[in-house]
Amino acid sequence: MSSPSPAVERYDVLILGGSMAGVEVLYQLRRKRRGRTLRVGVVDRQEVHGYIPLCQERLSRRLHDAHARLHTAGYVTAAPNAEMIVGTVTRMNSTARRVFLEDGRALEAEMIVVALGSVLAPPAHRIPGVEGALGVKFDHEAHEVRDRLQQLRAPSGPTQPRVVVVGGGISGVEMAGELAWMSQRSDDLQRPFEITLLHSGPRLLPALCERAGTLAADHLEAQGVDLRVKARLMEMRSDGILFEDRVPTTPEQLEMPTDLVLWAGGVRPAPVLERLGIARRDGWLTVNRELRALDADGAAIEGVFVVGDAACVVDDDAVWPTMKRAIECLWQAKVAAANLLASLEGAATRVHRLREDFPHGVSIGARSLVVYGPLVLDLPRINTWFRRFLMRRYFARYGARARG
Ligand SMILES: Cc1cc2nc3c(=O)[nH]c(=O)nc-3n(C[C@H](O)[C@H](O)[C@H](O)COP(=O)(O)OP(=O)(O)OC[C@H]3O[C@@H](n4cnc5c(N)ncnc54)[C@H](O)[C@@H]3O)c2cc1C
């Protein structure tokens, strides 16, 4: 490898992305004596991370932002050897392990862990106009949608505002339920609004058992949500949507006046993943069972790991059905951090284990379910309390500086 030019800042480890997976890699490195000696840089365009699993409650302000944010930069800089690098990654030369930022900076490292994740946004170009649908995952998105809702609900806004949520998976059900909760708490300054949940499949929560889907539908309808299953979004226009209703024997196309469309139809790879010099499957970065990034020939790229939503584990040419969830980020971060240290020390590495399920908490406005395989518990108060407890445990993991 040629020696770096003076303009290139050099680290032992660079962690690209400081959300759920990236911050946990740092946590795991710091737990080991050798890890604490390394100069680590964490690169992210966000210094603070809102708690994503309860993003719908942050949107409605049922959960105040101040109680639901991790001050990532505070956590990172709490150790003398770690540095938060606020910036946008534009590309990476994976073989040289050199990273380029939008502001012109270049960074290099002995080891790189990519944790640049996903975006909650519709697939471009498949549905005309759909790029106007908004997703709520990160803080700036929650702020934008909150502002839009405020304008719609103002006494000067449209007479009967309607918000359409697209996608009847967990995120869509949670979003529609939370909007119903908001609408029910209307007053003279904030008017109620109609909520439609549009889902192309025959039942809600397709990834969970049938009973969970049925209960979710009952709870949403009881809270006033207009539920449309077997309804596929065809087009988004400035004043409404066009969708295909496949409930009748002969499907029909219907128009619906709409003031705001929220996308909850699944995540897709963060755009930068295509410029990192790592082979991809459906846009996600391929890794082997040691979570080492793969090149176009399927060979491991020296010193580069991928974790979290961005990672697609390929084993014997088959893609693992890993969960894109917080718990999977924690499991992967532990393996990647251990393998990174093992590589530096010339020790044996370990392999990641496939786990396909884990209990789900599904919040549905005033109601709430806990689902594990075929088991469904309808526990509104306990689950709401428990999910906040989990959030506080998550923050506590990263210490007092992270709450600053
Ligand atoms: C609406 C929603 C609800 C969810 N609810 C739950 C839940 O209840 N339970 C659960 O377990 N999981 C939930 N998840 C999934 C969970 O949030 C993800 O699995 C987790 O956030 C993935 O973490 P990550 O670190 O891999 O990536 P992400 O969280 O996607 O973070 C990627 C990070 O990379 C940064 N980044 C991206 N591109 C660049 C760039 N070019 N330059 C610099 N920085 C960049 C971003 O700023 C971000 O900080 C939910 C996801 C969504 C979208």
Side-chain angles (χ1 to χ4, degrees):
M1 195 171 68
S2 61
S3 59
S5 74
V8 178
E9 190 73 21
R10 193 157 170 85
Y11 295 82
D12 295 317
V13 179
L14 274 174
I15 301 172
L16 309 183
S19 181
M20 298 191 124
V23 78
E24 180 67 13
V25 172
L26 180 63
Y27 174 83
Q28 292 293 340
L29 288 176
R30 281 185 176 172
R31 292 183 68 209
K32 305 279 184 242
R33 196 157 48 88
R34 173 78 172 102
R36 288 192 290 274
T37 66
L38 300 171
R39 186 181 182 216
V40 182
V42 178
V43 188
D44 201 304
R45 50 163 80 110
Q46 305 181 78
E47 279 182 277
V48 173
H49 286 83
Y51 187 66
I52 299 168
L54 294 181
C55 60
Q56 74 285 350
E57 287 192 37
R58 287 175 19 238
L59 174 73
S60 69
R61 287 232 158 88
R62 187 148 43 140
L63 185 57
H64 204 275
D65 278 342
H67 303 297
R69 281 200 297 220
L70 183 73
H71 195 278
T72 316
Y75 171 64
V76 172
T77 52
N81 266 338
E83 198 179 307
M84 184 82 201
I85 303 157
V86 181
T88 297
V89 177
T90 51
R91 66 189 172 92
M92 175 169 84
N93 178 332
S94 57
T95 42
R97 292 190 294 281
R98 186 175 287 192
V99 176
F100 300 90
L101 305 189
E102 197 176 53
D103 59 13
R105 282 179 287 174
L107 316 167
E108 240 180 49
E110 183 83 9
M111 298 277 160
I112 293 184
V113 184
V114 179
L116 290 165
S118 60
V119 287
L120 183 60
H125 311 308
R126 289 215 193 124
I127 306 167
V130 78
E131 59 283 354
L134 303 178
V136 178
K137 177 177 179 183
F138 297 119
D139 278 9
H140 68 279
E141 296 164 335
H143 294 160
E144 183 181 353
V145 171
R146 206 185 279 151
D147 287 351
R148 290 282 297 273
L149 283 170
Q150 253 166 14
Q151 286 161 16
L152 284 182
R153 300 179 71 196
S156 56
T159 357
Q160 272 198 313
R162 176 175 297 277
V163 179
V164 171
V165 178
V166 182
I170 299 176
S171 308
V173 164
E174 292 197 323
M175 182 53 76
E178 196 65 18
L179 291 173
W181 187 90
M182 277 177 98
S183 180
Q184 280 161 13
R185 274 146 195 84
S186 301
D187 52 31
D188 290 349
L189 296 174
Q190 295 271 284
R191 294 185 312 172
F193 54 101
E194 308 288 328
I195 302 132
T196 294
L197 177 60
L198 210 66
H199 179 57
S200 60
R203 71 162 178 95
L204 298 182
L205 303 178
L208 306 183
C209 67
E210 200 166 337
R211 188 167 126 71
T214 309
L215 275 174
D218 291 348
H219 288 335
L220 285 173
E221 288 188 320
Q223 292 175 78
V225 174
D226 165 39
L227 185 58
R228 310 287 180 119
V229 291
K230 292 193 184 172
R232 199 160 56 87
L233 181 66
M234 306 285 291
E235 191 179 335
M236 246 185 86
R237 300 168 179 168
S238 58
D239 57 350
I241 58 165
L242 178 71
F243 67 98
E244 187 182 58
D245 183 357
R246 284 178 282 134
V247 174
T249 349
T250 314
E252 49 188 6
Q253 295 201 350
L254 302 174
E255 287 178 5
M256 181 184 279
T258 307
D259 300 284
L260 176 63
V261 179
L262 299 181
W263 178 261
V267 289
R268 60 187 176 88
V272 70
L273 300 193
E274 65 188 60
R275 298 187 299 273
L276 300 181
I278 298 173
R280 294 177 299 134
R281 287 272 178 106
D282 293 329
W284 305 104
L285 304 177
T286 56
V287 291
N288 63 16
R289 293 177 65 193
E290 294 176 349
L291 304 181
R292 291 177 186 277
L294 301 177
D295 66 17
D297 299 323
I301 303 170
E302 185 71 31
V304 183
F305 296 83
V306 185
V307 290
D309 278 13
C312 162
V313 183
V314 179
D315 185 24
D316 240 354
D317 208 40
V319 170
W320 275 9
T322 46
M323 301 173 286
K324 293 211 183 301
R325 294 184 65 188
I327 189 72
E328 177 70 22
C329 291
L330 303 193
W331 290 327
Q332 292 191 7
K334 191 168 182 180
V335 173
N339 285 347
L340 184 159
L341 292 173
S343 306
L344 289 173
E345 291 164 354
T349 50
R350 62 165 85 163
V351 291
H352 184 49
R353 188 155 69 82
L354 173 62
R355 302 156 179 104
E356 292 186 54
D357 203 8
F358 196 72
H360 294 259
V362 186
S363 307
I364 314 170
R367 305 302 299 251
S368 187
L369 305 176
V370 177
V371 186
Y372 190 36
L375 184 72
V376 186
L377 300 174
D378 200 343
L379 298 170
R381 279 172 197 272
I382 295 176
N383 191 36
T384 304
W385 172 84
F386 187 64
R387 294 191 78 187
R388 289 177 184 208
F389 168 77
L390 285 181
M391 177 188 74
R392 286 194 293 272
R393 297 291 310 145
Y394 173 79
F395 291 147
R397 189 175 183 82
Y398 304 112
R401 288 291 294 273
R403 302 292 299 130

